[in-house]
Amino acid sequence: MLLELTQDLNPHQAYRIKKLKRRLANAENYEEWQSIALKLDEETGAQEWKFDNSSPYFDAEIISYRLNLLRRYRQQNRTQDLIYILREGFSHDVANIGHPMLFAHSYVGTKKIIDDYIDEVSKSLAFIASESCQLLTLENKINFFKNCEKAYGQPALMFSGGATLGLFHSGVCKALMEQDLMPNVLSGSSAGALMTALLGVNEPSQIPNLLSGDQFYSEAFHFRGFRELIKGNGGFADVRYLKKFLIENLGDVTFEEAFDQSGLDINITVAPYDVTQEDARIMNKYTSPDLLVWSAVLASCAVPILFPPVRLTSKRFDGVHTPYLANTRWVDGSVRSDFPQERMSRLYNLNYTIASQVNPHIVPFMQNDEERYRKDLLSWPERIVRQQGKLATMGIMDFARGRMGRIPSVRRILDHGYGVVDQRYYGDVNIIGQYSLRHYSYMLQNPRPHLFKLLQREGERATWPKISSIETHARIGKTIQHCLEVLNFEQKAANKPVQLAEI
């Protein structure tokens, strides 16, 4: 760990490290951040750690053995042997090389042998797709890479709720897009649903303009007066303003139409207001192709107490709007399923997930990777307190539900509370907002340029330390995708009828 690597430094080294950390915190872009981070790795000794293959978190012997075989087979043009060894270990975390702790010891990168292995797998795949590999026909190559794509899987990016703090997600997207690491599968609930939908209804060429922030400035929050609150029939905020904003920015687009426009698989989480009706749902082009995207986002933003529950709207084949499950009202999906990882895995063959977490009631309790994977005796008390605290809280809520379940409003609050506590809020890679008390004052502010820029930059800076990990996970998958695109292009060119020249 970085703490262990720096504990024996002399005062002069400690001063240089402190100065570099200050520069790192003020970096203006990823390239500047990476350059400073590499200097920090050298100063702290993390660079030497990268060349040491010993680690309790992955099997270096397996990786070394496979690396040598791949390199030898590729250099000797032994195509069949190369394909065999590739298929044998076709996983993004073979020998556990995807373990989070392998990216917690340094600012940039991981063990050099892991980087070398991923580089060699990518070179081997590129060799099979190239003209140098003459043993396979074009059709054989395409079939091989289609199987590789299915076996390897793809990543997903999940956006949490968090009201106006969700502007943080725009910085995460900006940082990932600049490094060409943005997944094609996205999910979101509440504020995250808005981020997901804005990406999902726009064409790829429009995304940079979207992330400039113009579409985020709105009067989405308009609080009702005291007299209106007394009348009931709603929450503290007027849902009509939010609905107007969503329709203006998302248009009259269904999930199926959104996919045709953007090529992104977007998923929006909603939960039934009455939890006895059914479980939380993820809305997407498979489960609800005719549902209007703005309608799903409105439901996912309907935070209990703040906004009233809403009904969903779909669009028929003739363009007429009709009720979707007319007898059911829906609320914020994050109360039951902030990150719907398991259900998305079944639909999209996911191999890892990136979680962007800004929920104000979750972030203060989240741990970094070092804290989560500690195994020493000193970590036991905190681990026990966390586990028992969660079990005790769920037990109390369950007991209260059994005793007070006859009062619908109380039962509903307890059911939603139980759902919040019982969730898993971590992905495989976690990008988490760093909060101070002032962040809680931002929560229900209407987005303004200065607030957008502030939270977007926080999202970018929280993402930069995770780029190495995401890039390591993504590189082989991107190589497969690129090879398949090239081979499909070659197939189309080969099948294109020859135009006879005019005489």
Side-chain angles (χ1 to χ4, degrees):
M1 297 179 191
L2 287 173
L3 181 62
E4 295 172 354
L5 292 169
T6 57
Q7 62 186 0
D8 296 325
L9 299 176
N10 62 51
H12 185 58
Q13 285 177 301
Y15 171 75
R16 288 203 305 269
I17 290 171
K18 185 177 180 180
K19 190 176 178 180
L20 285 169
K21 284 182 176 179
R22 201 159 45 237
R23 287 177 56 197
L24 192 73
N26 295 316
E28 290 298 318
N29 52 59
Y30 178 67
E31 287 68 28
E32 182 185 352
W33 185 94
Q34 186 184 43
S35 174
I36 299 167
L38 285 169
K39 291 177 183 176
L40 267 168
D41 281 345
E42 291 176 4
E43 289 287 352
T44 59
Q47 202 67 25
E48 297 174 12
W49 171 86
K50 296 175 188 178
F51 289 87
D52 180 5
N53 291 346
S54 62
S55 170
Y57 300 110
F58 83 112
D59 194 324
E61 189 176 340
I62 290 177
I63 295 301
S64 178
Y65 173 75
R66 290 182 55 77
L67 172 60
N68 291 331
L69 284 181
L70 287 169
R71 190 173 287 156
R72 186 194 316 157
Y73 294 158
R74 178 178 61 83
Q75 291 172 349
Q76 296 175 355
N77 290 351
R78 292 167 60 178
T79 303
Q80 293 289 11
D81 290 326
L82 188 61
I83 289 174
Y84 181 84
I85 198 69
L86 281 169
R87 284 173 172 167
E88 187 182 58
F90 219 68
S91 168
H92 84 285
D93 61 350
V94 59
N96 216 26
I97 60 174
H99 197 287
M101 285 301 292
L102 293 170
F103 301 88
H105 287 69
S106 59
Y107 287 92
V108 178
T110 183
K111 297 286 189 182
K112 187 176 186 302
I113 192 172
I114 294 176
D115 287 335
D116 290 345
Y117 175 74
I118 290 170
D119 184 58
E120 185 55 47
V121 171
S122 297
K123 286 180 179 177
S124 297
L125 290 168
F127 165 75
I128 292 171
S130 70
E131 293 181 356
S132 301
C133 177
Q134 299 179 352
L135 185 66
L136 302 180
T137 64
L138 181 58
E139 187 177 353
N140 290 150
K141 291 180 180 180
I142 290 173
N143 288 334
F144 169 75
F145 279 98
K146 282 182 177 178
N147 289 335
C148 288
E149 191 175 45
K150 190 171 291 186
Y152 198 74
Q154 64 177 325
L157 174 57
M158 307 180 296
F159 301 113
S160 76
T164 304
L165 294 172
L167 295 174
F168 175 95
H169 299 318
S170 69
V172 175
C173 292
K174 186 171 181 287
L176 292 177
M177 286 182 173
E178 287 175 351
Q179 303 305 315
D180 192 26
L181 293 172
M182 190 71 177
N184 289 324
V185 179
L186 309 173
S187 81
S189 58
S190 194
L194 176 57
M195 186 73 246
T196 301
L198 285 170
L199 292 168
V201 301
N202 282 284
E203 295 180 3
S205 60
Q206 298 171 320
I207 300 301
N209 184 55
L210 166 69
L211 294 178
S212 68
D214 292 342
Q215 287 175 266
F216 291 93
Y217 309 145
S218 72
E219 296 291 337
F221 294 117
H222 185 86
F223 294 97
R224 303 166 74 212
F226 182 71
R227 290 182 180 179
E228 291 176 299
L229 287 172
I230 292 176
K231 294 177 184 177
N233 300 322
F236 286 104
D238 193 330
V239 74
R240 292 175 298 178
Y241 286 81
L242 178 60
K243 182 178 179 179
K244 180 183 177 184
F245 164 75
L246 294 175
I247 292 173
E248 286 177 353
N249 286 279
L250 301 179
D252 195 48
V253 178
T254 66
F255 277 91
E256 190 170 49
E257 292 167 342
F259 176 77
D260 292 337
Q261 288 179 193
S262 67
L264 297 174
D265 282 297
I266 60 172
N267 301 265
I268 292 172
T269 312
V270 297
Y273 181 56
D274 185 351
V275 296
T276 60
Q277 289 180 327
E278 59 177 293
D279 290 330
R281 284 191 172 200
I282 53 169
M283 303 304 192
N284 52 47
K285 70 174 184 180
Y286 297 114
T287 62
S288 52
D290 302 318
L291 182 66
L292 288 163
V293 174
W294 69 257
S295 173
V297 176
L298 183 64
S300 194
C301 289
V303 181
I305 303 176
L306 181 61
F307 288 113
V310 300
R311 300 189 190 279
L312 294 171
T313 305
S314 60
K315 185 169 72 173
R316 274 190 343 201
F317 61 91
D318 56 1
V320 175
H321 290 191
T322 59
Y324 184 93
L325 291 174
N327 296 325
T328 305
R329 291 184 298 166
W330 304 84
V331 295
D332 178 5
S334 63
V335 300
R336 302 274 294 284
S337 185
D338 205 25
F339 294 153
Q341 300 180 60
E342 291 184 10
R343 280 171 289 177
M344 287 202 304
S345 292
R346 291 194 291 269
L347 284 172
Y348 301 110
N349 187 31
L350 302 182
N351 54 12
Y352 71 96
T353 56
I354 306 165
S356 178
Q357 178 60 261
V358 291
N359 249 323
H361 60 288
I362 300 301
V363 167
F365 302 100
M366 294 192 76
Q367 298 174 295
N368 61 35
D369 291 330
E370 291 183 26
E371 293 168 337
R372 287 173 63 208
Y373 291 100
R374 282 181 63 188
K375 296 180 181 179
D376 57 283
L377 287 174
L378 292 177
S379 69
W380 288 13
E382 183 182 357
R383 193 183 299 273
I384 291 169
V385 168
R386 281 178 168 272
Q387 291 176 348
Q388 295 306 312
K390 179 177 179 178
L391 290 173
T393 303
M394 291 170 62
I396 291 169
M397 286 186 175
D398 205 29
F399 178 82
R401 286 195 300 179
R403 298 299 182 274
M404 305 177 69
R406 294 179 183 178
I407 306 173
S409 58
V410 175
R411 170 78 187 209
R412 197 173 289 119
I413 291 172
L414 290 169
D415 282 338
H416 288 321
Y418 189 93
V420 169
V421 175
D422 192 35
Q423 292 184 52
R424 184 175 184 270
Y425 290 98
Y426 293 96
D428 296 299
V429 178
N430 299 285
I431 302 169
I432 305 169
Q434 298 297 315
Y435 282 177
S436 63
L437 287 176
R438 79 174 188 278
H439 284 80
Y440 291 88
S441 68
Y442 299 153
M443 278 183 57
L444 299 180
Q445 290 186 29
N446 281 307
R448 291 290 180 266
H450 74 281
L451 187 56
F452 173 81
K453 289 177 182 177
L454 174 69
L455 292 173
Q456 185 181 70
R457 178 46 60 98
E458 287 186 9
E460 286 183 85
R461 286 187 168 142
T463 306
W464 292 339
K466 303 293 183 177
I467 293 292
S468 290
S469 174
I470 296 169
E471 196 170 31
T472 300
H473 287 318
R475 185 171 178 190
I476 292 174
K478 282 194 164 294
T479 301
I480 294 168
Q481 185 181 15
H482 176 70
C483 289
L484 199 50
E485 288 172 358
V486 170
L487 292 169
N488 283 329
F489 178 80
E490 290 178 5
Q491 187 180 53
K492 287 181 181 178
N495 294 334
K496 188 176 180 180
V498 178
Q499 299 290 330
L500 295 176
E502 294 184 7
I503 300 175

